[in-house]
PDB file of all heavy atoms in Angstrom:
ATOM      1  N   CYS A  18      -1.095  19.868 -16.653  1.00  0.00           N
ATOM      2  CA  CYS A  18      -2.403  20.038 -17.343  1.00  0.00           C
ATOM      3  C   CYS A  18      -2.984  21.458 -16.969  1.00  0.00           C
ATOM      4  O   CYS A  18      -3.499  22.149 -17.829  1.00  0.00           O
ATOM      5  CB  CYS A  18      -3.323  18.975 -16.965  1.00  0.00           C
ATOM      6  SG  CYS A  18      -3.021  17.369 -17.685  1.00  0.00           S
ATOM      7  N   VAL A  19      -2.857  21.771 -15.657  1.00  0.00           N
ATOM      8  CA  VAL A  19      -3.308  23.052 -15.212  1.00  0.00           C
ATOM      9  C   VAL A  19      -2.503  24.256 -15.818  1.00  0.00           C
ATOM     10  O   VAL A  19      -3.055  25.223 -16.286  1.00  0.00           O
ATOM     11  CB  VAL A  19      -3.265  23.160 -13.650  1.00  0.00           C
ATOM     12  CG1 VAL A  19      -3.586  24.547 -13.170  1.00  0.00           C
ATOM     13  CG2 VAL A  19      -4.236  22.183 -13.050  1.00  0.00           C
ATOM     14  N   ILE A  20      -1.216  24.075 -15.892  1.00  0.00           N
ATOM     15  CA  ILE A  20      -0.394  25.162 -16.483  1.00  0.00           C
ATOM     16  C   ILE A  20      -0.711  25.301 -17.901  1.00  0.00           C
ATOM     17  O   ILE A  20      -0.827  26.462 -18.349  1.00  0.00           O
ATOM     18  CB  ILE A  20       1.128  24.687 -16.347  1.00  0.00           C
ATOM     19  CG1 ILE A  20       1.579  24.773 -14.924  1.00  0.00           C
ATOM     20  CG2 ILE A  20       2.016  25.564 -17.282  1.00  0.00           C
ATOM     21  CD1 ILE A  20       2.894  24.188 -14.673  1.00  0.00           C
ATOM     22  N   ALA A  21      -0.865  24.158 -18.698  1.00  0.00           N
ATOM     23  CA  ALA A  21      -1.220  24.302 -20.097  1.00  0.00           C
ATOM     24  C   ALA A  21      -2.603  24.990 -20.261  1.00  0.00           C
ATOM     25  O   ALA A  21      -2.795  25.822 -21.159  1.00  0.00           O
ATOM     26  CB  ALA A  21      -1.240  22.950 -20.738  1.00  0.00           C
ATOM     27  N   TRP A  22      -3.548  24.613 -19.456  1.00  0.00           N
ATOM     28  CA  TRP A  22      -4.961  25.174 -19.630  1.00  0.00           C
ATOM     29  C   TRP A  22      -4.918  26.639 -19.315  1.00  0.00           C
ATOM     30  O   TRP A  22      -5.521  27.453 -20.064  1.00  0.00           O
ATOM     31  CB  TRP A  22      -5.824  24.413 -18.652  1.00  0.00           C
ATOM     32  CG  TRP A  22      -7.236  24.972 -18.707  1.00  0.00           C
ATOM     33  CD1 TRP A  22      -8.212  24.676 -19.595  1.00  0.00           C
ATOM     34  CD2 TRP A  22      -7.807  25.952 -17.830  1.00  0.00           C
ATOM     35  NE1 TRP A  22      -9.366  25.361 -19.365  1.00  0.00           N
ATOM     36  CE2 TRP A  22      -9.149  26.155 -18.207  1.00  0.00           C
ATOM     37  CE3 TRP A  22      -7.403  26.625 -16.699  1.00  0.00           C
ATOM     38  CZ2 TRP A  22     -10.071  27.000 -17.648  1.00  0.00           C
ATOM     39  CZ3 TRP A  22      -8.259  27.491 -16.136  1.00  0.00           C
ATOM     40  CH2 TRP A  22      -9.588  27.604 -16.562  1.00  0.00           C
ATOM     41  N   CYS A  23      -4.227  27.095 -18.215  1.00  0.00           N
ATOM     42  CA  CYS A  23      -4.165  28.527 -17.855  1.00  0.00           C
ATOM     43  C   CYS A  23      -3.411  29.355 -18.916  1.00  0.00           C
ATOM     44  O   CYS A  23      -3.865  30.440 -19.340  1.00  0.00           O
ATOM     45  CB  CYS A  23      -3.361  28.640 -16.604  1.00  0.00           C
ATOM     46  SG  CYS A  23      -4.322  28.095 -15.118  1.00  0.00           S
ATOM     47  N   MET A  24      -2.378  28.794 -19.515  1.00  0.00           N
ATOM     48  CA  MET A  24      -1.663  29.517 -20.519  1.00  0.00           C
ATOM     49  C   MET A  24      -2.541  29.691 -21.851  1.00  0.00           C
ATOM     50  O   MET A  24      -2.607  30.770 -22.469  1.00  0.00           O
ATOM     51  CB  MET A  24      -0.320  28.872 -20.888  1.00  0.00           C
ATOM     52  CG  MET A  24       0.706  28.869 -19.833  1.00  0.00           C
ATOM     53  SD  MET A  24       2.226  27.943 -20.292  1.00  0.00           S
ATOM     54  CE  MET A  24       2.814  28.931 -21.622  1.00  0.00           C
ATOM     55  N   ALA A  25      -3.153  28.522 -22.206  1.00  0.00           N
ATOM     56  CA  ALA A  25      -3.935  28.605 -23.462  1.00  0.00           C
ATOM     57  C   ALA A  25      -5.285  29.479 -23.270  1.00  0.00           C
ATOM     58  O   ALA A  25      -5.679  30.171 -24.210  1.00  0.00           O
ATOM     59  CB  ALA A  25      -4.287  27.167 -23.848  1.00  0.00           C
ATOM     60  N   LYS A  26      -5.823  29.436 -22.113  1.00  0.00           N
ATOM     61  CA  LYS A  26      -7.040  30.161 -21.853  1.00  0.00           C
ATOM     62  C   LYS A  26      -6.883  31.610 -21.668  1.00  0.00           C
ATOM     63  O   LYS A  26      -7.601  32.452 -22.208  1.00  0.00           O
ATOM     64  CB  LYS A  26      -7.815  29.559 -20.745  1.00  0.00           C
ATOM     65  CG  LYS A  26      -9.193  30.266 -20.383  1.00  0.00           C
ATOM     66  CD  LYS A  26      -9.980  29.559 -19.328  1.00  0.00           C
ATOM     67  CE  LYS A  26     -11.228  30.294 -19.058  1.00  0.00           C
ATOM     68  NZ  LYS A  26     -12.158  30.415 -20.206  1.00  0.00           N
ATOM     69  N   TYR A  27      -5.849  31.920 -20.889  1.00  0.00           N
ATOM     70  CA  TYR A  27      -5.738  33.333 -20.446  1.00  0.00           C
ATOM     71  C   TYR A  27      -4.667  34.131 -21.135  1.00  0.00           C
ATOM     72  O   TYR A  27      -4.576  35.344 -21.118  1.00  0.00           O
ATOM     73  CB  TYR A  27      -5.460  33.398 -18.912  1.00  0.00           C
ATOM     74  CG  TYR A  27      -6.584  32.911 -18.089  1.00  0.00           C
ATOM     75  CD1 TYR A  27      -6.489  31.668 -17.385  1.00  0.00           C
ATOM     76  CD2 TYR A  27      -7.772  33.553 -17.951  1.00  0.00           C
ATOM     77  CE1 TYR A  27      -7.532  31.167 -16.644  1.00  0.00           C
ATOM     78  CE2 TYR A  27      -8.822  33.113 -17.231  1.00  0.00           C
ATOM     79  CZ  TYR A  27      -8.665  31.876 -16.617  1.00  0.00           C
ATOM     80  OH  TYR A  27      -9.668  31.390 -15.817  1.00  0.00           O
ATOM     81  N   GLU A  28      -3.748  33.357 -21.922  1.00  0.00           N
ATOM     82  CA  GLU A  28      -2.645  34.108 -22.475  1.00  0.00           C
ATOM     83  C   GLU A  28      -2.583  33.842 -24.025  1.00  0.00           C
ATOM     84  O   GLU A  28      -1.458  33.976 -24.628  1.00  0.00           O
ATOM     85  CB  GLU A  28      -1.327  33.679 -21.813  1.00  0.00           C
ATOM     86  CG  GLU A  28      -1.287  33.994 -20.359  1.00  0.00           C
ATOM     87  CD  GLU A  28      -1.246  35.473 -20.032  1.00  0.00           C
ATOM     88  OE1 GLU A  28      -1.122  36.260 -20.990  1.00  0.00           O
ATOM     89  OE2 GLU A  28      -1.444  35.808 -18.817  1.00  0.00           O
ATOM     90  N   ALA A  29      -3.644  33.553 -24.591  1.00  0.00           N
ATOM     91  CA  ALA A  29      -3.662  33.268 -26.106  1.00  0.00           C
ATOM     92  C   ALA A  29      -3.190  34.376 -26.796  1.00  0.00           C
ATOM     93  O   ALA A  29      -2.353  34.376 -27.753  1.00  0.00           O
ATOM     94  CB  ALA A  29      -5.063  32.761 -26.523  1.00  0.00           C
ATOM     95  N   ASP A  30      -3.699  35.628 -26.554  1.00  0.00           N
ATOM     96  CA  ASP A  30      -3.241  36.869 -27.272  1.00  0.00           C
ATOM     97  C   ASP A  30      -1.847  37.228 -26.920  1.00  0.00           C
ATOM     98  O   ASP A  30      -1.043  37.686 -27.829  1.00  0.00           O
ATOM     99  CB  ASP A  30      -4.148  37.994 -26.938  1.00  0.00           C
ATOM    100  CG  ASP A  30      -5.578  37.761 -27.309  1.00  0.00           C
ATOM    101  OD1 ASP A  30      -5.867  37.304 -28.420  1.00  0.00           O
ATOM    102  OD2 ASP A  30      -6.467  38.256 -26.551  1.00  0.00           O
ATOM    103  N   TYR A  31      -1.342  36.985 -25.752  1.00  0.00           N
ATOM    104  CA  TYR A  31       0.048  37.235 -25.362  1.00  0.00           C
ATOM    105  C   TYR A  31       0.906  36.333 -26.099  1.00  0.00           C
ATOM    106  O   TYR A  31       1.984  36.725 -26.679  1.00  0.00           O
ATOM    107  CB  TYR A  31       0.071  36.944 -23.808  1.00  0.00           C
ATOM    108  CG  TYR A  31       1.511  37.054 -23.238  1.00  0.00           C
ATOM    109  CD1 TYR A  31       2.213  38.223 -23.195  1.00  0.00           C
ATOM    110  CD2 TYR A  31       2.146  35.856 -22.725  1.00  0.00           C
ATOM    111  CE1 TYR A  31       3.462  38.280 -22.694  1.00  0.00           C
ATOM    112  CE2 TYR A  31       3.341  35.916 -22.168  1.00  0.00           C
ATOM    113  CZ  TYR A  31       4.066  37.075 -22.125  1.00  0.00           C
ATOM    114  OH  TYR A  31       5.315  37.167 -21.583  1.00  0.00           O
ATOM    115  N   LEU A  32       0.559  35.057 -26.161  1.00  0.00           N
ATOM    116  CA  LEU A  32       1.488  34.140 -26.831  1.00  0.00           C
ATOM    117  C   LEU A  32       1.472  34.377 -28.372  1.00  0.00           C
ATOM    118  O   LEU A  32       2.434  34.201 -29.070  1.00  0.00           O
ATOM    119  CB  LEU A  32       0.979  32.616 -26.588  1.00  0.00           C
ATOM    120  CG  LEU A  32       1.147  32.248 -25.153  1.00  0.00           C
ATOM    121  CD1 LEU A  32       0.548  30.804 -25.001  1.00  0.00           C
ATOM    122  CD2 LEU A  32       2.573  32.269 -24.634  1.00  0.00           C
ATOM    123  N   TRP A  33       0.332  34.837 -28.875  1.00  0.00           N
ATOM    124  CA  TRP A  33       0.305  35.156 -30.336  1.00  0.00           C
ATOM    125  C   TRP A  33       1.300  36.379 -30.622  1.00  0.00           C
ATOM    126  O   TRP A  33       1.962  36.328 -31.536  1.00  0.00           O
ATOM    127  CB  TRP A  33      -1.139  35.674 -30.749  1.00  0.00           C
ATOM    128  CG  TRP A  33      -1.255  36.360 -32.033  1.00  0.00           C
ATOM    129  CD1 TRP A  33      -1.215  35.814 -33.318  1.00  0.00           C
ATOM    130  CD2 TRP A  33      -1.160  37.762 -32.258  1.00  0.00           C
ATOM    131  NE1 TRP A  33      -1.158  36.772 -34.255  1.00  0.00           N
ATOM    132  CE2 TRP A  33      -1.234  37.992 -33.630  1.00  0.00           C
ATOM    133  CE3 TRP A  33      -1.199  38.859 -31.346  1.00  0.00           C
ATOM    134  CZ2 TRP A  33      -1.257  39.219 -34.160  1.00  0.00           C
ATOM    135  CZ3 TRP A  33      -1.197  40.186 -31.863  1.00  0.00           C
ATOM    136  CH2 TRP A  33      -1.188  40.369 -33.274  1.00  0.00           C
ATOM    137  N   LYS A  34       1.233  37.253 -29.717  1.00  0.00           N
ATOM    138  CA  LYS A  34       2.135  38.444 -29.875  1.00  0.00           C
ATOM    139  C   LYS A  34       3.559  38.137 -29.764  1.00  0.00           C
ATOM    140  O   LYS A  34       4.420  38.563 -30.452  1.00  0.00           O
ATOM    141  CB  LYS A  34       1.799  39.595 -28.856  1.00  0.00           C
ATOM    142  CG  LYS A  34       2.490  40.918 -29.186  1.00  0.00           C
ATOM    143  CD  LYS A  34       2.029  41.428 -30.497  1.00  0.00           C
ATOM    144  CE  LYS A  34       2.677  42.806 -30.870  1.00  0.00           C
ATOM    145  NZ  LYS A  34       2.171  43.299 -32.133  1.00  0.00           N
ATOM    146  N   VAL A  35       3.916  37.104 -28.867  1.00  0.00           N
ATOM    147  CA  VAL A  35       5.198  36.622 -28.706  1.00  0.00           C
ATOM    148  C   VAL A  35       5.753  36.107 -29.971  1.00  0.00           C
ATOM    149  O   VAL A  35       6.918  36.351 -30.424  1.00  0.00           O
ATOM    150  CB  VAL A  35       5.274  35.585 -27.557  1.00  0.00           C
ATOM    151  CG1 VAL A  35       6.619  34.786 -27.603  1.00  0.00           C
ATOM    152  CG2 VAL A  35       5.118  36.282 -26.218  1.00  0.00           C
ATOM    153  N   GLN A  36       4.955  35.306 -30.655  1.00  0.00           N
ATOM    154  CA  GLN A  36       5.408  34.684 -31.928  1.00  0.00           C
ATOM    155  C   GLN A  36       5.435  35.759 -33.065  1.00  0.00           C
ATOM    156  O   GLN A  36       6.240  35.659 -34.022  1.00  0.00           O
ATOM    157  CB  GLN A  36       4.582  33.474 -32.345  1.00  0.00           C
ATOM    158  CG  GLN A  36       3.115  33.717 -32.721  1.00  0.00           C
ATOM    159  CD  GLN A  36       2.889  34.197 -34.109  1.00  0.00           C
ATOM    160  OE1 GLN A  36       3.744  33.861 -35.070  1.00  0.00           O
ATOM    161  NE2 GLN A  36       1.800  34.974 -34.241  1.00  0.00           N
ATOM    162  N   GLU A  37       4.594  36.752 -33.018  1.00  0.00           N
ATOM    163  CA  GLU A  37       4.726  37.910 -33.999  1.00  0.00           C
ATOM    164  C   GLU A  37       5.985  38.621 -33.766  1.00  0.00           C
ATOM    165  O   GLU A  37       6.573  39.182 -34.777  1.00  0.00           O
ATOM    166  CB  GLU A  37       3.525  38.825 -33.775  1.00  0.00           C
ATOM    167  CG  GLU A  37       2.150  38.303 -34.362  1.00  0.00           C
ATOM    168  CD  GLU A  37       2.221  38.321 -35.880  1.00  0.00           C
ATOM    169  OE1 GLU A  37       2.289  39.351 -36.459  1.00  0.00           O
ATOM    170  OE2 GLU A  37       2.018  37.178 -36.455  1.00  0.00           O
ATOM    171  N   LEU A  38       6.471  38.712 -32.527  1.00  0.00           N
ATOM    172  CA  LEU A  38       7.747  39.374 -32.304  1.00  0.00           C
ATOM    173  C   LEU A  38       8.914  38.445 -32.384  1.00  0.00           C
ATOM    174  O   LEU A  38      10.071  38.749 -31.867  1.00  0.00           O
ATOM    175  CB  LEU A  38       7.713  40.017 -30.908  1.00  0.00           C
ATOM    176  CG  LEU A  38       6.642  41.148 -30.669  1.00  0.00           C
ATOM    177  CD1 LEU A  38       6.447  41.502 -29.274  1.00  0.00           C
ATOM    178  CD2 LEU A  38       6.997  42.369 -31.500  1.00  0.00           C
TER     179      LEU A  38
END
Side-chain angles (χ1 to χ4, degrees):
C18 290
V19 172
I20 289 171
W22 182 81
C23 290
M24 291 177 67
K26 180 174 177 60
Y27 297 109
E28 301 294 347
D30 295 321
Y31 174 67
L32 298 176
W33 166 81
K34 192 62 181 180
V35 166
Q36 66 82 29
E37 284 287 299
L38 294 170

